[in-house]
Amino acid sequence: MKILVPVKRVIDYNVRPRVKPDGSGVDLANVKMSMNPFDEIAVEEAIRLKEAGKAEEVIAISVGPAKAQETLRTALAMGADRAILIESDETVEPLAVAKLLKAVADAEEPGLILLGKQAIDDDCNQTGQMLAALMDRPQGTFASKVELDGDSATVTREVDGGLETVRLTLPAIITTDLRLNEPRYASLPNIMKAKKKPLETKSPADYGVDVTPRLTTLKVAEPPVRQAGEKVASVDELVAKLKDMGVA
Amino acid sequence: MKCLVLVEQEAGAIKDATLSAITAAAKIGTVHALIAAEGDAAKQAADAAAKIAGVEQVLVAADGAYAHMLAENVAPLIIGLMEGYDAFVAPSTSIGKNIAPRVAAKLDVMQISDIISVEGEKSFTRPIYAGNAIATVESSDAKMVITVRGTAFEKAAAEGGSASVEEVTPAGNPGLSNFVGLEESGGERPELTSAGVIVSGGRALKDAETFDKVITPLADKLGAAIGASRAAVDAGYISNDYQVGQTGKIVAPELYIAVGISGAIQHLAGMKDSKVIVAINKDEDAPIFQVADIGLVADLYDAVPELTEKLG
């Protein structure tokens, strides 16, 4: 079967985001961008499933600006077979991304779609669930373990208070949590090989999807700054402070 | 505006995150509470929900299909009910986050995730970039689907309301997924996301045994929940449902004690709204001291046992 892996180009997780002074958004000019960390985990899982003989082809897909090609090349260098870029210079919301992914899935008919659980820029945590809804397929969100068995997938999910295991009928949509795996680094020869792998460029219009945002961002502001307090010199002083505050 | 709020319950007891979601929903409009659960739990939860201040009506769908809150089973029920509502509101828990986007997509609306304030009928604030920026967004959709960050809203009073209870017809089981099992962690301790006091440990705790030996006695003394940084979880000191941070739990207790935690942005995103933050760290330049109300530069192996002894 085929596995479809959507990946997103986001600000590198090590970079501290800066809010633009005019409050229109976060400043992304000249900021290091990378593949969303949860998506790296999704790519890794897809490749491992292929290596285990459970899948024949891994297709990476991204919705974003022309530069998202770099992100797709990274996925190809990790081991994906081919890539699709749906190019859009505007921000595309999870709902529209899910519609585009559904259109691709309808054409490619993957047995499994693996997404990251959330993107570290908008922190939405929606796309996988929305895609599952639009396709009327089961969803295994926040997965820390995935086992494929014939026409079903057994997924261990990280939930509040523990680990939940569910069995899903394939085709299914699974979103990855951090502990699913440790993504590999692309080797130099594989990075070179990835340059020759097919990368198809499309537009949202090719799929007949309207990507007009439904949410308007009125303002983006710095979070309230927490003032550093004071340092105490000893445990006794700390205990006294806590007692003064009535918190211990 | 009429809001339908998803109630999360365990054995008939309503969870705190739902009470916060009800407070948020009451700022948007009138509140109807939806309980989807199995037999007895559904009945008990309905009785409890009817008493919550601010709830106008309780809808109950009792069916075995809702026993484990599988999104594939619960979402169709909500979608069927949304005809009569302007907004669907769920707590931003693993259950709410799993179900709400499934509802939103079927209603063809963009979900507004993890709101921290209600600014107007259709505008809200929410943290983005791991809490490094706060966005004010306005919805242009006919209906809204919203998840609520529990720590950002007061809990609605569990008593004082007198809502009517109405049974609704379950939506059946589409048979797409099955619950296999749940491996619970935790035990007697207060739940991390609702605890008044949290003692949290980081990578400096060396190993699982040391983590337990240093952190647990202090937590016991304070009746506190135990938390951990991602570094401590990744190093295997403690299981990941104790993780506080952008990718773990978001907490805002009265008192947060960070032991041997440097204070990476990933971690700060999960705890910087705590009322009082205490940091104990050997490194006086650790970023955690920039947000701590009280900092103690000391070796945690000396300081924490001493603190445990001298408290209370």
Side-chain angles (χ1 to χ4, degrees):
Chain A
M1 70 176 185
K2 290 183 197 174
I3 302 180
L4 199 62
V5 189
V7 295
K8 186 176 185 183
R9 180 177 185 264
V10 298
I11 188 168
D12 188 87
Y13 76 100
N14 283 313
V15 175
R16 194 189 161 84
R18 301 271 168 217
V19 172
K20 287 187 202 167
D22 67 358
S24 63
V26 165
D27 194 354
L28 296 177
N30 304 313
V31 168
K32 188 185 177 204
M33 305 291 277
S34 301
M35 189 191 295
N36 180 44
F38 292 102
D39 303 349
E40 284 189 333
I41 295 169
V43 173
E44 175 65 33
E45 193 68 15
I47 295 162
R48 287 188 191 186
L49 287 166
K50 188 184 167 193
E51 286 167 350
K54 305 262 187 189
E56 286 85 48
E57 191 182 30
V58 175
I59 308 161
I61 173 167
S62 193
V63 179
K67 282 192 167 170
Q69 282 196 24
E70 295 164 15
T71 310
L72 287 169
R73 290 289 171 204
T74 304
L76 293 170
M78 287 172 75
D81 297 291
R82 62 186 167 96
I84 303 168
L85 172 63
I86 305 176
E87 208 177 305
S88 168
D89 288 325
E90 301 305 314
T91 303
V92 184
E93 290 173 341
L95 179 63
V97 172
K99 288 177 181 177
L100 290 165
L101 295 176
K102 179 186 186 294
V104 173
D106 286 346
E108 299 281 355
E109 298 188 337
L112 189 64
I113 306 175
L114 273 164
L115 304 87
K117 79 163 176 182
Q118 76 187 60
I120 61 164
D121 51 359
D122 61 23
D123 285 333
C124 274
N125 193 335
Q126 301 174 5
T127 309
Q129 295 90 313
M130 287 182 156
L131 176 60
L134 296 176
M135 295 180 70
D136 281 318
R137 297 311 309 167
Q139 64 191 46
T141 49
F142 328 139
S144 60
K145 194 175 170 197
V146 174
E147 284 174 282
L148 294 187
D149 181 22
D151 59 357
S152 73
T154 303
V155 180
T156 303
R157 307 178 53 232
E158 298 196 2
V159 297
D160 300 337
L163 295 171
E164 181 188 84
T165 305
V166 291
R167 189 153 45 241
L168 313 174
T169 310
L170 295 177
I173 287 83
I174 293 174
T175 75
T176 63
D177 217 321
L178 278 174
R179 270 152 295 274
L180 181 59
N181 60 48
E182 186 109 4
R184 69 193 66 188
Y185 289 102
S187 67
L188 190 58
N190 285 343
I191 292 170
M192 300 311 288
K193 267 189 241 164
K195 291 184 177 166
K196 296 204 177 74
K197 289 185 179 176
L199 194 159
E200 203 181 343
T201 302
K202 298 276 202 178
S203 78
D206 292 338
Y207 298 98
V209 173
D210 177 9
V211 296
T212 311
R214 308 290 188 83
L215 301 181
T216 313
T217 301
L218 302 176
K219 179 175 79 175
V220 175
E222 295 272 359
V225 180
R226 211 185 157 100
Q227 294 300 318
E230 51 184 319
K231 283 189 180 149
V232 292
S234 69
V235 171
D236 286 322
E237 253 186 82
L238 172 56
V239 172
K241 285 262 174 215
L242 288 175
K243 287 195 169 150
D244 276 356
M245 290 173 158
V247 286
Chain B
M1 286 258 179
K2 279 179 79 181
C3 304
L4 184 66
V5 178
L6 180 69
V7 172
E8 234 176 275
Q9 55 85 31
E10 195 173 339
I14 292 169
K15 298 215 171 173
D16 285 351
T18 298
L19 299 176
S20 299
I22 286 170
T23 302
K27 289 177 194 272
I28 305 167
T30 55
V31 178
H32 289 195
L34 172 66
I35 292 155
E38 205 171 16
D40 287 349
K43 196 179 173 316
Q44 283 164 22
D47 289 344
K51 296 195 193 102
I52 300 171
V55 175
E56 202 172 80
Q57 189 167 39
V58 178
L59 307 183
V60 193
D63 194 291
Y66 305 135
H68 304 288
M69 296 301 273
L70 294 171
E72 296 82 352
N73 296 3
V74 180
L77 171 73
I78 298 162
I79 293 156
L81 293 168
M82 281 306 289
E83 180 92 347
Y85 292 93
D86 303 300
F88 171 66
V89 178
S92 200
T93 55
S94 57
I95 288 175
K97 288 190 282 195
N98 193 35
I99 294 172
R102 210 169 160 106
V103 173
K106 282 291 190 187
L107 297 175
D108 194 31
V109 308
M110 239 316 275
Q111 174 178 306
I112 308 152
S113 295
D114 220 13
I115 63 162
I116 57 172
S117 77
V118 176
E119 299 292 307
E121 261 201 343
K122 293 201 145 192
S123 60
F124 309 90
T125 64
R126 57 178 304 265
I128 53 174
Y129 292 88
N132 282 295
I134 308 294
T136 309
V137 295
E138 186 172 55
S139 172
S140 62
D141 284 316
K143 290 181 194 289
M144 296 188 293
V145 172
I146 296 161
T147 61
V148 175
R149 179 173 290 195
T151 56
F153 294 89
E154 295 287 325
K155 294 189 287 252
E159 299 288 335
S162 56
S164 57
V165 178
E166 186 194 326
E167 283 188 33
V168 294
T169 315
N173 184 342
L176 293 169
S177 61
N178 285 294
F179 173 83
V180 176
L182 176 67
E183 189 186 317
E184 278 181 76
S185 57
E188 295 302 300
R189 257 173 221 296
E191 201 187 20
L192 192 52
T193 48
S194 58
V197 182
I198 293 171
V199 180
S200 210
R203 197 201 293 276
L205 273 309
K206 271 198 202 112
D207 54 38
E209 197 187 334
T210 316
F211 189 101
D212 182 47
K213 212 165 70 192
V214 175
I215 299 294
T216 306
L218 179 57
D220 285 344
K221 196 73 165 251
L222 291 165
I226 290 176
S229 69
R230 187 178 155 191
V233 168
D234 283 348
Y237 303 171
I238 191 161
S239 90
N240 59 269
D241 39 303
Y242 293 89
Q243 185 182 317
V244 172
Q246 184 191 14
T247 55
K249 304 254 177 16
I250 312 285
V251 300
E254 293 287 308
L255 174 62
Y256 188 91
I257 304 181
V259 178
I261 292 176
S262 66
I265 56 172
Q266 207 285 131
H267 188 75
L268 298 182
M271 48 64 85
K272 66 183 162 62
D273 294 324
S274 305
K275 201 149 181 207
V276 176
I277 297 173
V278 172
I280 301 172
N281 205 301
K282 206 159 61 174
D283 174 11
E284 63 177 311
D285 296 323
I288 190 80
F289 287 122
Q290 291 164 20
V291 300
D293 300 283
I294 311 171
L296 175 62
V297 180
D299 187 334
L300 67 94
Y301 296 104
D302 300 328
V304 176
E306 191 186 340
L307 176 62
T308 307
E309 192 192 306
K310 287 181 174 163
L311 277 173

